[in-house]
Amino acid sequence: MRSVADASACVVNEDSLRMNEIDEIPYMVVKKDGRRETFDRNKVMAGLLRACEKRPVPSSKLDSIVNAIEKYVQESSERERPTSKIGEMIMRRLKELDKVAYVRFASVYLEFEDVSEFMTELKHLVSNARKQSSRAQVVEGSR
């Protein structure tokens, strides 16, 4: 005859088994063409390192970006995120961090069809940088 304690132990074991099974399900990313791949933080870091090659970007900043991306993927209740959102997050962070690294990453991620698309993005980036510089000078002059 089983006791109540034995029965509750079985329930606890079943719950922990389910949790272990859930932990074994990998986090996935959904590519532009619909394919799914296991999320790989090393792949994200490799892309960042390529974009930041020979740039004055501290590795701690790259770690921070990768950690934020990994957290974003892990917070998904479906255990998957589209690479389009991940790429946008990376570009936003790189744009704030280093414009050259941003352009390098964007040129691969956005898959520019020709030089004119690439130039359009560069002009947009330069225009925004000038606007920010002008605003900073106005603020500086009013002090």
Side-chain angles (χ1 to χ4, degrees):
M1 198 159 132
R2 296 177 80 189
S3 70
V4 174
D6 289 340
S8 64
C10 288
V11 171
V12 170
N13 285 338
E14 284 178 23
D15 288 343
S16 62
L17 281 174
R18 279 192 213 112
M19 289 304 291
N20 287 337
E21 289 169 2
I22 290 171
D23 286 343
E24 291 174 13
I25 298 170
Y27 291 99
M28 306 296 285
V29 293
V30 182
K31 308 290 268 183
K32 292 176 186 176
D33 65 3
R35 289 181 298 119
R36 285 172 167 67
E37 286 184 7
T38 303
F39 172 76
D40 183 355
R41 70 176 278 123
N42 294 328
K43 195 171 180 179
V44 175
M45 180 59 88
L48 287 169
L49 288 171
R50 267 192 309 278
C52 296
E53 191 173 334
K54 298 182 182 178
R55 299 296 307 154
V57 178
S59 59
S60 62
K61 296 287 187 181
L62 300 182
D63 283 334
S64 174
I65 293 171
V66 173
N67 290 339
I69 299 299
E70 186 172 44
K71 182 179 178 190
Y72 170 73
V73 171
Q74 291 175 346
E75 287 177 345
S76 168
S77 59
E78 297 85 30
R79 298 184 75 90
E80 66 180 33
R81 295 286 188 173
T83 56
S84 59
K85 295 290 184 195
I86 292 169
E88 288 169 11
M89 287 177 67
I90 293 170
M91 285 195 316
R92 193 169 43 253
R93 291 288 199 81
L94 283 176
K95 197 172 192 177
E96 296 168 5
L97 190 60
D98 186 280
K99 304 291 190 246
V100 172
Y102 162 77
V103 170
R104 287 176 178 170
F105 187 88
S107 69
V108 173
Y109 176 75
L110 295 176
E111 299 174 342
F112 295 122
E113 294 294 321
D114 57 32
V115 175
S116 65
E117 287 183 21
F118 187 72
M119 291 303 294
T120 300
E121 182 62 25
L122 280 177
K123 287 176 185 174
H124 181 70
L125 189 62
V126 169
S127 172
N128 284 344
R130 285 185 182 146
K131 287 177 188 173
Q132 287 177 347
S133 177
S134 295
R135 280 190 221 122
Q137 288 173 354
V138 168
V139 169
E140 195 69 25
S142 65
R143 290 183 182 173

